Amino acid sequence: MCGIVGLYLKNSALESQLGKLFEPMLIAMTGRGPDSAGFAIYGDEVSDDMIKLTLQHEDEHYPWHMLAEKLEETYSTPVSVMHNANAAVLKMKAEEAPVRETIAEFDPTVRIMSVGRSIEILKEVGLPENIAERFNLAGMKGSHIVGHTRMATESGVTMEGSHPFSTGMDLCLVHNGSLSNHNRLREELEHKGIQFETENDSEVAAGYLTWRLREGASVKEALEGAIEDLDGFFTFTVGTKDGFAVVRDPIACKPAVMAETDDYVAMASEYHALSSLPGIENAKLWEPDPGKVYFWGKG
Amino acid sequence: MEFDLKTQTVREVNQALHDLPKDKASEVVVNGISGDHNLAVGMDQPAKITLNGHAGYYCAGMNKEAEIIVNGNAGQGVAENMMSGKVHVKGNASQSAAATAHGGLLVVDGDAAARCGISMKGVNIVVKGSVGHMSAFMGQSGCLVVCGDAGEALGDSLYEAHLYVKGKVESLGADCIQKEMRPEHIEELSALLKEAGSDEDPYSFTRYGSARQLYTFKVDNASAY
């Protein structure tokens, strides 16, 4: 099992309510995945010369200001820090790769959840309801959001095994299903320089996308490649800086349902996660075709 | 009798439904539904059950005798393994509608998704919208009527079910072919459309059925798999 939900707002007037609209969608998928949950929210974009990092640490009272000071010293630039439960969002003028190195040197127990200009990934082990409350999901603003509730099958119940998986600047992937060729694919991707942190099959899918994007593919091309190269069952939802994509394997065993109105595009594993959305009664509803990439947003 | 799933559980409702008398038709309304799974499963009574709201997975599964109306959408596996009676979904149905069903009638006013009527064994299905890919896969008997379009691989590995499609068919599955519409088929289709409350013209449909080449494996057919 596992539940996937996504909401992309077409009407920017709703952006202040994104978290509030999304929270019941995530909680509705508890039955499909009660062991961990997470979401990637897009909004509060920084300028082109800046990056935004979402970091997490097991210690609820982690001294994020010390890490920020270290980064300020190293790069001679101001670093802003916003705390959210055991996570922190840092914004600064810098490049991704050296900042990752500096953080790893400073404290390898700090987890980098996402890096980008718009994305923030927050995830945790536990019931979706508790996780939504912990990170104050209902109060969050943004343009679009992708979420996941996990029922662990391919690897253990850990924070690392929970979704979304970051697949590069501003990109993330959530997965419902199981991959059968992930071991061999993992080896091939490792040879190409992709690093993995878990035994999770979905992380291999994320790594695959990272590799294709690194090779210059567009999100659509990378997902079309995934349909060819990943063996197994999957419904993926991929978040990008300006939109989100949905793709199912050619057999389409794993459920997915879409809804579209003038105000939003939404996807979920089951309809009842969409039933709380405004105007759902008159939305265009359909189940995405197998082996076809759907994309909403700019670009 | 009336139930509200905002205050009652699916288990309570289903138990009350199973306790209904078998010798007379009762009327039951269930309100407050928000995607709950397994609603009105295992009926063996001639009751008329109205479900107000969107049903989750396996609604009306194994139905016998009852008439079940869903005033909303239905999730995966609606009317799975139905034996008799009638299930009417006023919205859309998700995947595997009426899978392996032996009898009765399923009517879907909207679209049905992939694998509608998979392994159907005598059920009649009328979909007023379109059906997804692999519909009527391994269909053994009964009829699938589609007033809209059909997705890829319609009737793959079909045995003997009758398929009637008004719109376009994305592709036919292995061993499924277009067939002549003879008077008995017009008669059969007319009756089903009438029973489903559809005013579609039976002459505007195309019939598909089994070429009967896969009954026993022939090496000549290997490329069809």
Side-chain angles (χ1 to χ4, degrees), chain B residues 44-45 69 77 84 134 136 138 156 172 177 207 221 225:
Chain B
D44 193 8
Q45 291 84 356
I69 298 154
S84 64
M134 298 290 278
M138 289 181 78
D156 192 88
L172 292 173
I177 55 167
R207 180 167 77 100
N221 291 326
Y225 290 103

Side-chain angles (χ1 to χ4, degrees), chain A residues 32 248 251-253 255 269-272 285 287 290, chain B residues 34-35 37 54 57 73 76 92 94-95 113 115 133:
Chain A
R32 296 192 64 88
R248 298 167 87 190
I251 296 172
C253 275
S269 296
E270 294 179 28
Y271 176 82
H272 73 103
L285 279 179
E287 297 200 358
Chain B
S34 51
H37 299 323
H54 301 301
Y57 287 7
N73 299 316
Q76 206 162 308
N92 297 330
S94 184
Q95 303 189 87
R115 303 177 194 88
H133 66 286

Side-chain angles (χ1 to χ4, degrees), chain A residues 88-140:
Chain A
V89 177
L90 272 59
K91 294 175 191 165
M92 63 187 293
K93 264 184 199 167
E95 295 293 324
E96 177 189 359
V99 170
R100 277 185 181 272
E101 270 177 41
T102 310
I103 293 171
E105 274 167 30
F106 178 80
D107 184 350
T109 63
V110 169
R111 300 193 200 102
I112 302 175
M113 314 303 289
S114 65
V115 183
R117 301 213 157 78
S118 172
I119 191 171
E120 290 173 30
I121 291 182
L122 296 160
K123 58 185 183 180
E124 194 62 86
V125 171
L127 279 174
E129 189 181 358
N130 299 344
I131 291 158
E133 193 187 332
R134 182 168 158 81
F135 293 118
N136 185 28
L137 172 58
M140 288 187 171

Side-chain angles (χ1 to χ4, degrees), chain A residues 11-175:
Chain A
N11 178 357
S12 55
L14 290 171
E15 288 187 3
S16 61
Q17 297 172 50
L18 182 70
K20 203 171 149 211
L21 292 170
F22 185 75
E23 187 182 37
M25 295 175 67
L26 189 74
I27 293 172
M29 288 295 89
T30 303
R32 296 192 64 88
D35 67 44
S36 46
F39 53 89
I41 186 161
Y42 294 84
D44 183 27
E45 197 173 321
V46 296
S47 58
D48 281 353
D49 56 349
M50 290 182 77
I51 55 170
K52 185 160 114 175
L53 301 106
T54 316
L55 307 175
Q56 226 179 39
H57 197 275
E58 278 177 19
D59 179 4
E60 184 95 18
H61 305 288
Y62 190 78
W64 295 110
H65 64 277
M66 285 172 71
L67 173 59
E69 275 165 23
K70 169 74 181 171
L71 289 167
E72 282 183 338
E73 265 171 40
T74 312
Y75 298 96
S76 314
T77 183
V79 176
S80 78
V81 183
M82 197 185 72
H83 294 242
N84 187 351
N86 64 333
V89 177
L90 272 59
K91 294 175 191 165
M92 63 187 293
K93 264 184 199 167
E95 295 293 324
E96 177 189 359
V99 170
R100 277 185 181 272
E101 270 177 41
T102 310
I103 293 171
E105 274 167 30
F106 178 80
D107 184 350
T109 63
V110 169
R111 300 193 200 102
I112 302 175
M113 314 303 289
S114 65
V115 183
R117 301 213 157 78
S118 172
I119 191 171
E120 290 173 30
I121 291 182
L122 296 160
K123 58 185 183 180
E124 194 62 86
V125 171
L127 279 174
E129 189 181 358
N130 299 344
I131 291 158
E133 193 187 332
R134 182 168 158 81
F135 293 118
N136 185 28
L137 172 58
M140 288 187 171
K141 301 178 179 105
S143 53
H144 56 295
I145 185 163
V146 166
H148 186 269
T149 63
R150 182 164 187 247
M151 185 179 280
T153 52
E154 301 297 300
S155 65
V157 178
T158 58
M159 215 294 292
E160 288 81 1
S162 57
H163 300 221
F165 286 101
S166 174
T167 57
M169 280 280 281
D170 281 308
L171 271 154
C172 74
L173 169 140
V174 291
H175 173 208

